[in-house]
Amino acid sequence: LSIIAGTVTSRITVMGMGAAGNGGDSLEVNLPGGGTIDTANLETAGKQMEAAANGQLPPVDTGKLQALLPASLGSYTRSSLDTGEVGAMGKGVSATYTSGDKSIKLSVIDSAGLGALAGLAGAMGAAQSHEDANGYDKTSTVNGQMVVESWNKGSGSGEYSQQVASRFFVSAEGEAGSIDELKSAVASIDQSALAALAK
């Protein structure tokens, strides 16, 4: 989340300066590398973060997030549960699942106050990729939501994260049989139920 916030903030600053003197009107900005963003979203993001700081956009109760975590993932059995929070900026829950020498950590994070920034990253069409003999990592945008994926062939480990409703992040990481097992872990979270918690 800190990486997302830093990257998006720097772009917002540049675009905000470029849109100065616009009289508050909406302006569509072409982004380096392709894609566009409506500057009206900048004001929306600012209001959402201000609302979070003033306690008007409280993060979802960890108990509700924890209820979305499955008891098992195929042959993987849940062995632990954890919760954490960063004041009004967000809360998160995670569970560790094991199967033999394999282990997957599945997390559900409500970015709350950072959700506006994360949403802008999706609106910008964030994308990057890298691949070599050891594996790959890539970031893409699907239907305005960020997706981050990485896999290391040598260690048989990786991560798959998906943004939901421009506010939540569902992530699975660890040593697994394949990246598909991590994707399946993320898919085990009911995205519709998760998005409904923000309303």
Side-chain angles (χ1 to χ4, degrees):
L1 287 179
S2 63
I3 294 173
I4 293 171
T7 301
V8 176
T9 299
S10 64
R11 293 193 181 186
I12 288 175
T13 301
V14 173
M15 289 188 294
M17 292 172 62
N22 192 35
D25 295 332
S26 174
L27 175 67
E28 190 171 81
V29 177
N30 292 316
L31 300 173
T36 61
I37 183 172
D38 193 322
T39 55
N41 289 334
L42 301 180
E43 182 178 359
T44 299
K47 289 181 178 179
Q48 288 180 355
M49 292 194 72
E50 182 179 358
N54 293 331
Q56 299 171 351
L57 187 65
V60 174
D61 181 75
T62 53
K64 294 180 179 180
L65 296 177
Q66 204 170 68
L68 296 173
L69 295 170
S72 62
L73 297 170
S75 63
Y76 290 78
T77 303
R78 190 169 69 188
S79 56
S80 67
L81 285 169
D82 295 284
T83 63
E85 61 181 276
V86 187
M89 289 295 105
K91 293 185 178 182
V93 300
S94 65
T96 299
Y97 301 81
T98 57
S99 177
D101 61 347
K102 305 295 184 183
S103 176
I104 295 176
K105 181 179 180 180
L106 178 61
S107 305
V108 180
I109 298 172
D110 176 8
S111 61
L114 291 175
L117 288 177
L120 280 177
M124 289 176 178
Q128 70 85 33
S129 65
H130 170 76
E131 184 174 359
D132 57 30
N134 296 318
Y136 70 92
D137 66 79
K138 63 180 180 180
T139 300
S140 59
T141 303
V142 180
N143 297 323
Q145 306 296 299
M146 288 183 64
V147 176
V148 180
E149 178 179 345
S150 66
W151 184 254
N152 185 297
K153 296 178 182 177
S155 62
S157 63
E159 177 182 2
Y160 184 77
S161 300
Q162 192 170 51
Q163 186 181 19
V164 178
S166 300
R167 170 171 171 170
F168 303 97
F169 285 88
V170 181
S171 174
E173 60 181 318
E175 297 180 352
S178 67
I179 188 65
D180 289 333
E181 288 190 351
L182 299 180
K183 290 181 178 181
S184 294
V186 168
S188 71
I189 301 298
D190 188 332
Q191 292 193 11
S192 297
L194 180 58
L197 293 178
K199 299 178 181 178

